[in-house]
Amino acid sequence: MKTNSSAAKDARLLLILGDQLSLDISSLRAGKPDRDIVLMAEVQDEASYVPHHKKKIAFVFSAMRHFAAELEDAGWSVRYVKLDDPDNSGDLPGELARAVKDHGIDHVLMTEPGEFRLKAVLSDWSKDAKTELEMLDDDRFLASHAEFRDWAEGRKQLRMEYFYREMRRKTGLLMDGDAPEGGKWNFDSQNRKPAKSDLFMPRPRATEPDAITEEVLKLVEDRFDDNFGTLRPFWFGVTRADALKALTMFVEQALPRFGDYQDAMLEGEPFLYHSVLSLYINAGLLDPLETCERVAQAYHDGDAPLNAVEGYIRQIIGWREYMRGIYWHSGPEYTQQNFFGAKRPLPDFYWTGHTDMACMAAAIGQTKEEAYAHHIQRLMVTGNFAMLAGIDPHDVHEWYLAVYADAYEWVEAPNVIGMSQFADGGLLGSKPYAASGNYINKMSDHCANCSYDVKQKTGSDACPFNPLYWDFLLRNEEKLRGNPRLGQVYRTWDKMDEAKKKEYRDSARAVLDRL
Ligand SMILES: Cc1cc2nc3c(=O)[nH]c(=O)nc-3n(C[C@H](O)[C@H](O)[C@H](O)COP(=O)(O)OP(=O)(O)OC[C@H]3O[C@@H](n4cnc5c(N)ncnc54)[C@H](O)[C@@H]3O)c2cc1C
Ligand code: SF4
């Protein structure tokens, strides 16, 4: 821990959280290096509210330590509390209390935390400690809470596509006057190609651990050895400079094919043409708008096609912003939603990766290894299976929050509870992302290596996704039959003969009994 001198008379304590590692963040902009003291603390409470992946903990702590050094270089006084500091109280209120007392400060300033839980904890502390806590807007996002509320209020249905168009207009990204570049807002119809293993596969940029990261890796080995995931080799960048290099490498090597193969999955290729930048953007090492501007520039320079660039920008100014809007708009009870009343506990193989379903083993295996899986693996493999099998969405939510390096509740929960599990009953999406093995077979090469047969619909060799798909639709018929987007699916079921229907039900029961 550094800095324990008494502070200047009107000094304020600037609390910087582990996902607020931006020199331009609102709290730092409001502070003064020659007057205020920055507090950063690694605390057990935050490192263990879910059993985070080892790589995730190492990434956040190492990035925090590097950021603290950058702040000092920029002239700030930083009080940095390491996890193994003997005086560490173990939680943020405890660290605030110690800092306020040690420095004789009565005014704490911070950028709003990204989640309800922490916001409530810190606000409670402020009331109890009778210490002013000023929270500033997190303007690293394009849409403020008020802007999202204004957009959402009065609409019968919230749909990302319309919100996204507003964000395009607001930023001017890929706009040709008032019209979208290329005459269309969305080029997704070109973005659903399966990939082939003989394509050139770039790897995301790897950073060699320096002495600071090494110290953190040892700490994680000592304190979090039982947590999920593999720690080494640790290759994530931990500074803004590393993150900028990763962005450059993505734009030069992967972006041109990002669109075409965005939904593809390949055995042994965890990253394909994805950017693997979400962990840097979410922690504050990259700014979302600068990332999009860089990607748009590649299009204007003729280095990447419009379907790739539009698709990428939509993920950030569309989906990412929209998810954050939904999270704050829905309130803290959002993570408790359970539209289908699903009660089954999460199967153990989500933690071990030991399953004979090749697609699940690949997605969970690389999650253990890299704290990463790309969107379609999260949505159409592990998420789809959990929904079809009737796993309690809160268990599913806690798993996703723990296992990915980019997971923070504001973005994870709407993706899991809303998009992947449909547990919010359709606030976020118009129909559940439910699919049989056919979809996975179309978009991947996993089925060729699987002990199950994707073409078999029922029976002990049948791909488990096949009977579970129908069983899910039947279990939830009352809630889903009226959905206009599912009308055709139910009509197909209605036309099936009774013997076939029974086979589906019996096969699904057998799969569920094995979980
Ligand atoms: C069940 C489920 C859980 C998810 N949990 C998280 C999470 O905890 N944290 C997280 O950042 N993303 C989450 N996502 C969204 C998405 O899967 C990841 O952002 C993406 O896989 C990150 O990898 P990438 O950087 O290579 O992304 P790319 O495919 O290269 O996409 C570019 C960027 O777009 C943004 N993005 C893309 N899709 C989304 C989305 N649906 N929501 C928000 N941002 C998006 C990310 O910032 C990402 O870096 C989840 C999706 C699903 C279906
Ligand atoms: S057969 Fe089914 S379980 Fe096996 S890889 Fe294909 S979709 Fe997955």
Side-chain angles (χ1 to χ4, degrees), residues 26-41:
S26 53
S27 53
L28 290 174
R29 292 205 314 272
K32 281 194 187 156
D34 57 356
R35 181 195 62 192
D36 302 327
I37 291 175
V38 172
L39 169 65
M40 297 179 71

Side-chain angles (χ1 to χ4, degrees), residues 54-99:
K54 293 190 191 91
K55 274 196 168 83
K56 179 182 182 185
I57 300 175
F59 164 66
V60 174
F61 285 176
S62 179
M64 285 173 70
R65 290 183 188 193
H66 282 87
F67 187 70
E70 272 180 52
L71 285 174
E72 282 176 342
D73 288 348
W76 291 92
S77 303
V78 182
R79 175 181 169 110
Y80 193 94
V81 187
K82 291 185 176 172
L83 190 79
D84 50 4
D85 184 322
D87 295 328
N88 189 326
S89 61
D91 57 32
L92 285 170
E95 286 316 297
L96 279 169
R98 286 202 312 132

Side-chain angles (χ1 to χ4, degrees), residues 250 258 262 271 273-279 281-282 312 314-316 319-321 323 372-380 382-383 400-401 404-413 415-417 419-421:
F250 163 67
F258 171 83
Q262 199 181 337
F271 310 109
Y273 299 95
H274 292 273
S275 65
V276 196
L277 294 178
S278 50
L279 78 167
I281 300 174
N282 294 351
Y312 192 83
R314 175 156 31 87
Q315 304 312 310
I316 295 190
W319 280 114
R320 185 173 185 273
E321 288 285 332
M323 291 305 188
Y372 178 85
H374 69 69
H375 187 67
I376 292 301
Q377 295 175 299
R378 298 188 206 197
L379 183 64
M380 300 310 293
T382 43
Y400 278 97
L401 192 54
Y404 291 111
D406 59 18
Y408 301 89
E409 192 177 272
W410 66 265
V411 55
E412 171 277 330
N415 269 296
V416 173
I417 297 289
M419 185 188 253
S420 135
Q421 301 302 294

Side-chain angles (χ1 to χ4, degrees), residues 168 174 176 179-187 299 306:
R168 286 273 292 277
L174 298 183
D176 183 4
E181 186 80 31
K184 285 203 301 185
W185 292 101
N186 180 319
F187 293 85
Y299 167 70
L306 188 54

